[in-house]
């Protein structure tokens, strides 16, 4: 599968949720460390601010770590996608419908007996293949007969 990474919903979810997790974790850590530092230096710290603050810092650190790991995985996926060789697109030539109509007109208007014989042989092959009733045409493939 040669899908572009920027078109993958999973990639964008990984990137956005990683950044959100890292942001929330950083916000929790900064807020609780700031509160604990100021209250401990003032001498007004209570057990709730200190002990609950420590638990919230641990939760924030876990969220920050998960966000950083997710962001690093997104970067690694981008690097791996860049290293995987892509196949060159197949160039398909447009069908020139006018040349096919001109070829049919040229066959009908030709008076060359060899061309008329080849056309009747092709018609005979088509008539004999009609009895196959929807088979894969393996007889025509095996004998390299042109089937219309």
């Amino acid at each position: 599968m040669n899908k572009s990474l920027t078109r993958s919903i999973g990639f964008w979810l990984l990137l956005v949720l990683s950044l959100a997790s890292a942001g929330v974790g950083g916000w929790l850590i900064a807020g609780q460390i700031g509160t604990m530092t100021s209250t401990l230096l003032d001498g007004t710290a209570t057990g709730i601010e200190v002990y609950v603050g420590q638990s919230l810092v641990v939760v924030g650190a876990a969220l920050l770590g998960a966000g950083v790991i997710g962001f690093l995985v997104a970067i690694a996926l981008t690097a791996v996608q860049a290293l995987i060789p892509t196949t060159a697109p197949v160039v398909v030539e447009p069908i020139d419908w006018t040349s096919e109509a001109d070829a049919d007109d040229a066959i009908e208007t030709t008076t060359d007996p060899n061309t008329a014989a080849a056309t009747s042989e092709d018609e005979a092959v088509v008539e004999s293949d009609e009895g196959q009733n929807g088979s894969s045409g393996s007889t025509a493939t095996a004998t390299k007969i042109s089937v219309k």
Side-chain angles (χ1 to χ4, degrees), residues 42-64:
D42 290 346
T44 59
T46 63
I48 293 176
E49 289 172 342
V50 174
Y51 297 118
V52 172
Q54 289 176 359
S55 299
L56 288 176
V57 168
V58 170
V59 169
L63 287 174
L64 180 64

Side-chain angles (χ1 to χ4, degrees), residues 6-113:
T6 58
R7 296 178 130 193
S8 173
I9 293 174
F11 173 76
W12 287 109
L13 279 175
L14 173 67
L15 191 62
V16 168
L17 292 177
S18 296
L19 291 175
S21 176
V24 169
W27 174 72
L28 274 175
I29 291 172
Q32 291 305 316
I33 294 286
T35 302
M36 285 188 338
T37 302
S38 65
T39 55
L40 285 172
L41 290 176
D42 290 346
T44 59
T46 63
I48 293 176
E49 289 172 342
V50 174
Y51 297 118
V52 172
Q54 289 176 359
S55 299
L56 288 176
V57 168
V58 170
V59 169
L63 287 174
L64 180 64
V68 168
I69 289 173
F71 187 70
L72 290 175
V73 167
I75 290 173
L77 283 174
T78 305
V80 168
Q81 180 72 20
L83 292 176
I84 294 175
T86 57
T87 57
V90 178
V91 178
V92 179
E93 296 179 13
I95 299 173
D96 187 11
W97 295 104
T98 58
S99 66
E100 185 176 313
D102 293 341
D104 289 341
D105 291 340
I107 289 174
E108 291 175 6
T109 59
T110 323
T111 57
D112 185 20

